[in-house]
Amino acid sequence: MTTYRYDVIVVGGGPAGLAAARSAAEHGADVLLLERYPAIMAWKPCGEATSKATFETAGVKPRPYIVVREAYARVYAPNFKYVEIKERGYNINKTMFLQALAEKAAEAGAKIKVREEVEDVARKPDGLMEVKTSREYYVGSVVIGADGYNSTVAKSLGIKERSEPIPTVQYLMANVDLEDHDAVRFYLGREIAPRGYAWIFPKSERMAEVGIGTRGVPAKRYLDRFVGILGEELKGAQVIDYRGAPVPIGGMIRRNIVDGAILVGDAAGTVIPFTGAGIHSSIAAGLTAGEVAAGAAEDGDNGERRLREFDSMYRDPWGKRISDSLRAMRVFEDLNDEDLNALAEILSPNDVVNLANGINVRSIALKLLQHPVLTVKFARRLLS
């Protein structure tokens, strides 16, 4: 086989990989992106809701073919009382969003190859990185592994650590009869979704994504129970798409950078643990990794120490948000349904958003110190 040379080789065509390819190309690198599937599209199940800030970070305009509808949010306690978050985000067509990211990467000069699965990645004696696919051999200065939770890049380079996963299952349901078509809904509680949550994301007046993430119990069984609990809203609905996937909610792995390679996205755990949301944080990780990789290639230094510039650029603020969200999630895991009901009465909509996203966690903990039960169970642990 002929060996082809690039500055930066990105493995994986999801949000992190596409952002990395674009960023590296914009910073002057000769970039190749390899995607094992036959198309850039949303192969992994996803709730397909994200913030308006995600589009700003991605540099993508919220065009009608990408944004299905604007939506606000409701977070339901176990007693089905809810906190309403009026700030609006977007329900999106994730495939169209990813293809818009691919368009940006291609415009920047990145070369994209689909249906080309990476089989092995190795560091050569001269320090360059060799990537073997089902078709060709490629050589580059830096490899960016954005190839998902079961990353081939990580396995090839001896990185065994993976972020703790939560199994998720999602139905796309037709003929729903939702009370409100403009609200994305999250449901908490041990009876609903032990150590996780269930969700409903409307796609149209008669279609919605209905999913669940749980730990320690079968996700599908609890999803089917949840569908039954919703009663009339989903009584006549039909499942037209059924998928599942692990979502890394254990925070960032400690060793996401080695000589010649940076891991981002699900491969590195750049996901907000409390919510399992990873589109925004992974795009930010990809943009940072692309910039660092391009600079390392230009300098002729792809060593781990050089690539660790990623840490200083990404881990604050994103790394801190991920770690604070993980800390809040760990505390929430031990709360019973009565505690969650009490929290719903105390927390403001802004508190809920910040807590889930690892923002201003300390101020929320101080607020909860006024509650005698939650002081011990929640507030003190958040402050420790």
Side-chain angles (χ1 to χ4, degrees):
M1 288 185 176
T2 303
T3 300
Y4 299 90
R5 172 71 188 268
Y6 292 87
D7 295 325
V8 177
I9 300 173
V10 180
V11 183
L18 292 165
R22 173 190 174 184
S23 177
E26 287 179 339
H27 285 86
D30 191 12
V31 180
L32 171 67
L33 183 144
L34 299 167
E35 168 56 52
R36 69 188 179 103
Y37 287 114
I40 299 293
M41 62 180 292
W43 298 97
K44 175 187 168 186
C46 174
E48 295 192 321
T50 192
S51 65
K52 294 183 177 181
T54 301
F55 279 73
E56 295 170 5
T57 300
V60 171
K61 293 182 179 180
R63 301 190 185 279
Y65 66 89
I66 302 174
V67 175
V68 176
R69 64 200 306 121
E70 289 195 12
Y72 66 97
R74 290 179 180 176
V75 180
Y76 287 78
N79 60 11
F80 283 87
K81 292 183 179 180
Y82 60 82
V83 176
E84 187 166 293
I85 300 165
K86 295 188 179 297
E87 181 181 350
R88 288 186 168 254
Y90 294 134
N91 276 344
I92 65 171
N93 181 320
K94 189 181 175 185
T95 289
M96 293 294 100
F97 181 70
L98 291 177
Q99 290 176 0
L101 289 175
E103 180 183 2
K104 292 289 185 182
E107 287 176 353
K111 184 172 184 178
I112 299 172
K113 288 191 174 186
V114 298
R115 203 188 289 270
E116 189 156 357
E117 184 169 3
V118 170
E119 298 177 348
D120 189 56
V121 178
R123 186 174 170 87
K124 298 175 65 180
D126 61 4
L128 293 176
M129 304 300 292
E130 182 178 73
V131 177
K132 179 183 179 294
T133 76
S134 54
R135 296 183 181 182
E136 305 285 357
Y137 280 90
Y138 303 97
V139 170
S141 294
V142 180
V143 171
I144 297 176
D147 51 339
Y149 184 72
N150 294 307
S151 169
T152 298
V153 175
K155 291 176 184 176
S156 297
L157 298 176
I159 301 173
K160 297 180 180 179
E161 181 189 3
R162 291 190 289 180
S163 182
E164 178 190 351
I166 184 171
T168 65
V169 179
Q170 179 175 275
Y171 297 152
L172 178 62
M173 305 190 77
N175 196 37
V176 301
D177 186 19
L178 299 183
E179 170 195 348
D180 190 330
H181 308 114
D182 293 322
V184 297
R185 291 147 63 173
F186 304 89
Y187 294 80
L188 302 174
R190 291 190 176 182
E191 292 299 315
I192 295 288
R195 303 180 74 198
Y197 67 87
W199 65 85
I200 300 177
F201 291 174
K203 301 298 288 184
S204 69
E205 283 73 13
R206 303 293 291 177
M207 191 174 297
E209 290 164 335
V210 182
I212 200 166
T214 62
R215 280 177 291 161
V217 297
K220 185 181 184 303
R221 188 174 78 191
Y222 272 80
L223 177 57
D224 290 336
R225 282 183 54 186
F226 176 65
V227 169
I229 289 171
L230 267 291
E232 292 299 319
E233 289 189 284
L234 301 179
K235 185 176 181 180
Q238 301 291 320
V239 176
I240 62 172
D241 192 345
Y242 164 28
R243 306 189 207 182
V247 175
I249 46 79
M252 289 184 67
I253 64 175
R254 292 181 294 274
R255 190 175 176 232
N256 67 308
I257 297 171
V258 296
D259 289 340
I262 304 173
L263 300 182
V264 290
D266 284 5
T270 56
V271 172
I272 304 298
F274 209 137
T275 63
I279 295 177
H280 194 182
S281 54
S282 290
I283 287 172
L287 292 173
T288 303
E291 180 179 351
V292 171
E298 183 179 7
D299 294 345
D301 179 3
N302 68 352
E304 179 179 341
R305 179 175 293 184
R306 173 65 176 83
L307 298 180
R308 281 286 167 195
E309 185 181 342
F310 174 90
D311 286 347
S312 60
M313 295 173 64
Y314 181 76
R315 290 192 183 259
D316 186 15
W318 282 104
K320 185 178 187 306
R321 284 181 58 179
I322 290 170
S323 62
D324 284 353
S325 177
L326 176 62
R327 185 154 49 97
M329 186 194 76
R330 294 299 187 207
V331 175
F332 254 74
E333 290 176 346
D334 295 334
L335 300 183
N336 59 38
D337 285 358
E338 185 178 339
D339 297 330
L340 291 173
N341 290 333
L343 273 176
E345 298 292 337
I346 298 170
L347 297 179
S348 70
N350 193 54
D351 291 335
V352 173
V353 172
N354 286 344
L355 190 62
N357 287 286
I359 300 171
N360 296 327
V361 170
R362 180 178 175 81
S363 64
I364 297 168
L366 291 172
K367 179 178 182 178
L368 294 175
L369 284 174
Q370 302 171 27
H371 191 284
V373 175
L374 294 177
T375 292
V376 176
K377 287 190 171 183
F378 193 90
R380 286 181 181 172
R381 289 180 61 190
L382 275 182
L383 290 169
S384 65

